[in-house]
Amino acid sequence: MSISLRPGCNASSLLSTVLFAGLTVALRLYAASNDGKVTERSLSNNGVNHQLLARTQISGCGASPSWLMVDREHEIIYCLDEAVDGLNGTLTSFRTNLNGSLTEVERLQTIIGPVASALYKLADAPSGRFFAVAHYAGSAVTSYAVDPVSGLFKYLQSFSYNMSRPGPVPSRQDALNPHGVVVDPTGKFVLVPDLGADLVGIYRINATTGHLEEQPPLIVTPGSGPRHAVFWSPKRSGAAHPQNSHFYLVTELDNGVRGYDVSYSSNGTILFSQRYEEKAYGGSNPPSGSKAVEISISPSNDQLVISNRGDATYGPSNDSIATFSLPEQNQNRTILFQGLYPVYGAFPCHFQFSPDGDMLAIALQNSNKVAVSAWNGRERVIGRLLAEVTIGGEVTAVVWGL
């Protein structure tokens, strides 16, 4: 394993590297679990073996933390509390200390059910920071302004929704359920997949105020259940270019993945044209009870990676991750299912690639643990299990330290 700084990571990222005796090197991981804890672990490597060593733990995020969001530039971690059995959710900001521990900066009450968020900037004032939040149980989307240096934030606005009648899957679609948040490559739009309403909400970012302006949504196949999404852009000279971008959406209820061409009209509207649809298992029918949940682009920018929850492809309590090849050249529009790989536990709710792209941290919800596997950058597949650790509750999110 090598330690390196990628474009976009400043020198302060070196603070996330802790040196132990001999050749041992450790990276930090933060995991949120529904026992009300955010746990810091250090992944040590003595050149042969890996360990996830206990470090610090904090309970300031609330009773049921559901999501972690990292601002690497300013060394701030934001945590969402879904408040499963409560009346209101919370948003909390933490400053990371030199020893990896977290110090609470601010905790703000919000609409129940926050499950995902994304940071965005302003075209006219790039020093400003904002973030949008999807509220699953609260059927809402909210936005906030944040001081990126202090980690203090303030409420801006909310969009609350009602459903006139249940969707095709009434047990899961009796209300609007915003489940993910993603910002487009131009930084001008926020998109919110909604599992309950079979749509992707689209919001234009006001370039002066940071407020979100609701646009007509992207309508998805009834009963599909949009959950999370990513944008892909071709990279030239190491930087992503928004031209010729694609939008990939994972749909939980039909275990699907959909791909869209992205374009922008002369009046500033973002447009989508569907060009791809497949199951998260390639051409095979998903196992009964399985759910496609998380989606990401590989560090090499040429793969789509999707986690499957509850499929038990590799035995009881051992689910899978699927990979799809993506064409780097725009004229090649072929997307190919590559295969399934073990995640070393049950219900991979969330996963994240390491800063240097050679490892994958996986939040295994029903196994109550975090697993770290190798990621083979050359062959672009999940490798052997490097380390794992059991946490006190169901693990909902895991992120690499600053």
Side-chain angles (χ1 to χ4, degrees), residues 31 95 103 133 142 148 150 164 173 196 222 289 293 305 339 355 365:
R95 178 164 297 283
T103 298
V133 179
T142 58
S150 68
S164 59
Q173 296 185 309
V293 288
V305 185
Q365 182 179 349

Side-chain angles (χ1 to χ4, degrees), residues 130-187:
F130 301 80
F131 63 91
V133 179
H135 299 257
Y136 183 87
S139 300
V141 175
T142 58
S143 67
Y144 303 82
V146 60
D147 183 323
V149 177
S150 68
L152 297 171
F153 48 84
K154 66 177 182 179
Y155 165 82
L156 281 186
Q157 60 188 145
S158 63
F159 302 85
S160 296
Y161 301 98
N162 295 306
M163 182 176 281
S164 59
R165 62 180 183 275
V169 186
S171 62
R172 297 293 309 278
Q173 296 185 309
D174 59 347
L176 273 77
N177 299 130
H179 209 308
V181 184
V182 61
V183 180
D184 86 304
T186 69

Side-chain angles (χ1 to χ4, degrees), residues 99-110:
N99 66 356
S101 64
L102 301 177
T103 298
E104 182 177 327
V105 176
E106 184 176 23
R107 186 176 180 187
L108 181 68
Q109 191 174 86
T110 186

Side-chain angles (χ1 to χ4, degrees), residues 30-174:
Y30 295 90
S33 51
N34 69 356
D35 61 345
K37 307 292 185 182
V38 176
T39 303
E40 178 212 354
R41 292 277 173 162
S42 64
L43 178 68
S44 68
N45 172 23
N46 62 9
V48 178
N49 300 311
H50 293 73
Q51 288 182 299
L52 278 168
L53 303 175
R55 299 283 291 174
T56 61
Q57 195 173 70
I58 194 168
S59 58
C61 184
S64 45
S66 56
W67 184 259
L68 297 173
M69 180 177 66
V70 179
D71 183 348
R72 294 185 178 278
E73 180 182 356
H74 299 98
E75 301 176 1
I76 301 288
I77 290 179
Y78 299 91
C79 183
L80 308 184
D81 170 28
E82 190 175 3
V84 173
D85 298 318
L87 298 176
N88 297 96
T90 57
L91 316 176
T92 306
S93 55
F94 296 96
R95 178 164 297 283
T96 59
N97 302 313
L98 292 179
N99 66 356
S101 64
L102 301 177
T103 298
E104 182 177 327
V105 176
E106 184 176 23
R107 186 176 180 187
L108 181 68
Q109 191 174 86
T110 186
I111 296 171
I112 192 171
V115 293
S117 60
L119 287 162
Y120 61 92
K121 304 177 183 180
L122 297 185
D124 293 351
S127 61
R129 292 291 191 281
F130 301 80
F131 63 91
V133 179
H135 299 257
Y136 183 87
S139 300
V141 175
T142 58
S143 67
Y144 303 82
V146 60
D147 183 323
V149 177
S150 68
L152 297 171
F153 48 84
K154 66 177 182 179
Y155 165 82
L156 281 186
Q157 60 188 145
S158 63
F159 302 85
S160 296
Y161 301 98
N162 295 306
M163 182 176 281
S164 59
R165 62 180 183 275
V169 186
S171 62
R172 297 293 309 278
Q173 296 185 309
D174 59 347

